[in-house]
């Protein structure tokens, strides 16, 4: 079977033993889990992390130590993308 965590970012549909369709509900990162069973009844659990939607980033700043010094921006996004 197929599951996704955390819930609420994608919905699963058109699910079969070997395929599923993910539909975006919100933006974020999910992990898709599958338990695959072969003809001998052996089960294999696999997972894949997927980023859904446009990467979101957040730039903090500018930080200017003095009026004549260069200003700096810093990346505060937990997902490693710059936000604006």
């Amino acid at each position: 079977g197929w599951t996704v965590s955390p819930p609420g970012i994608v919905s699963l549909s058109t699910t079969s033993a070997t395929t599923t369709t993910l539909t975006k509900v919100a933006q974020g990162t999910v992990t898709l889990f599958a338990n695959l069973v072969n003809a001998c009844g052996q089960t294999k659990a696999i997972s894949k992390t997927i980023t859904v939607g446009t990467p979101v980033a957040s730039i903090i700043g500018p930080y200017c130590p003095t009026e004549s010094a260069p200003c700096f921006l810093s990346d505060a996004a937990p997902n490693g993308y710059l936000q604006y």
Side-chain angles (χ1 to χ4, degrees), residues 26-53:
Q27 189 162 290
T29 300
V30 298
T31 303
L32 178 65
F33 299 93
N35 287 313
L36 305 176
V37 182
N38 68 12
C40 298
Q42 299 168 317
T43 302
K44 172 76 175 181
I46 60 172
S47 65
K48 176 73 176 178
T49 301
I50 303 166
T51 299
V52 179

Side-chain angles (χ1 to χ4, degrees), residues 5 13 16 19 22-23 27 29 31 33-34 37 50 53 56 73-74 78:
S5 179
S13 61
S16 71
T19 65
L22 280 69
T23 303
Q27 189 162 290
T29 300
T31 303
F33 299 93
V37 182
I50 303 166
V56 176
L73 301 175
S74 62

